[in-house]
Amino acid sequence: QQPVQSPQAVILREGEDAVINCSSSKALYSVHWYRQKHGEAPVFLMILLKGGEQKGHEKISASFNEKKQQSSLYLTASQLSYSGTYFCGTDQTGANNLFFGTGTRLTVIP
Amino acid sequence: GAVVSQHPSWVICKSGTSVKIECRSLDFQATTMFWYRQFPKQSLMLMATSNEGSKATYEQGVEKDKFLINHASLTLSTLTVTSAHPEDSSFYICSADYSGANVLTFGAGSRLTVL
């Protein structure tokens, strides 16, 4: 039930953009995105709900294709603070039982 | 904002002993909390859903007798790793849904090392 993320890792220079993809084989109620820095807890970035509702931070955007069970996270004008591992979490029922993706390690360099 | 506190942040124990990890929602009530484990450089794996006042729901492959979960109040869930062995060494993280907004707040995690 674990969703698959791509790419596994990406290195960016400050100011560059990145897209992280998340794909599930199951029908989804929602997709959640989190960022985790080494040794720390995951931090909520965004949730995309079936039907089009979104909740998240201003500087981060994402899309959710319900038919394909795919979501993409768009990081624009990257900053050094964006570095970390990004996980998508998929919820099939609306009960917040999240199955987390394989993770994408993002490194932003000066 | 919502805060979830975990204690201890790290623990080292001998093989065969039991370890209890606490997860507290500090400024909100959580009828449901979630427990995960994370191996180095890997993803978070959902272990179980902790329900206040009732039995936890475990994911497939997670031993109920090994990982005891108790959710005795609306602000506290505990995970007890019984008869711990070196393969139980991992990073254990809990989360709770703040205000039913489908936004999970995570604790800082507890790193367990079993010698």
Side-chain angles (χ1 to χ4, degrees):
Chain A
Q1 301 190 56
Q2 183 180 33
V4 177
Q5 284 182 235
S6 64
Q8 288 186 322
V10 60
I11 300 175
L12 298 176
R13 292 199 177 275
E14 273 187 289
E16 292 183 335
D17 303 337
V19 180
I20 300 172
N21 301 302
C22 174
S23 180
S24 173
S25 60
K26 304 286 186 180
L28 301 176
Y29 176 86
S30 65
V31 178
H32 304 224
W33 286 96
Y34 288 83
R35 176 173 60 220
Q36 185 180 31
K37 293 185 182 282
H38 181 69
E40 299 179 7
V43 173
F44 170 78
L45 296 175
M46 172 163 284
I47 179 175
L48 302 103
L49 298 161
K50 188 170 65 173
E53 184 180 358
Q54 297 184 15
K55 304 175 191 177
H57 295 278
E58 293 180 2
K59 294 187 177 181
I60 295 175
S61 63
S63 63
F64 178 24
N65 186 322
E66 297 173 31
K67 289 184 179 179
K68 294 185 177 180
Q69 294 94 52
Q70 294 175 347
S71 178
S72 294
L73 184 71
Y74 305 97
L75 303 168
T76 57
S78 59
Q79 304 170 17
L80 294 176
S81 61
Y82 285 12
S83 293
T85 301
Y86 289 75
F87 292 102
C88 66
T90 55
D91 179 5
Q92 298 171 32
T93 65
N96 281 331
N97 305 60
L98 298 186
F99 292 93
F100 284 89
T102 45
T104 297
R105 184 183 296 272
L106 178 75
T107 304
V108 181
I109 58 176
Chain B
V3 176
V4 174
S5 172
Q6 267 188 255
H7 177 80
S9 55
W10 60 270
V11 57
I12 300 173
C13 70
K14 292 183 179 181
S15 186
T17 60
S18 295
V19 174
K20 180 185 287 187
I21 300 170
E22 295 185 346
C23 178
R24 294 182 183 271
S25 56
L26 295 187
D27 47 4
F28 67 101
Q29 294 181 332
T31 55
T32 303
M33 293 183 176
F34 303 92
W35 286 96
Y36 311 82
R37 68 186 297 182
Q38 185 177 32
F39 292 106
K41 298 185 179 181
Q42 294 190 24
S43 186
L44 293 88
M45 302 301 295
L46 179 64
M47 299 175 65
T49 302
S50 174
N51 305 299
E52 188 269 334
S54 64
K55 291 182 179 180
T57 305
Y58 290 82
E59 294 301 316
Q60 191 173 11
V62 177
E63 300 176 57
K64 300 178 182 181
D65 297 331
K66 176 74 170 177
F67 300 100
L68 299 180
I69 292 174
N70 183 277
H71 196 150
S73 76
L74 287 171
T75 59
L76 174 64
S77 175
T78 60
L79 168 69
T80 301
V81 183
T82 63
S83 187
H85 291 282
E87 58 266 28
D88 298 325
S89 298
S90 189
F91 194 52
Y92 293 88
I93 310 177
C94 69
S95 71
D97 181 3
Y98 172 58
S99 75
N102 290 108
V103 174
L104 292 182
T105 301
F106 283 80
S110 300
R111 186 166 301 284
L112 170 64
T113 302
V114 185
L115 302 177

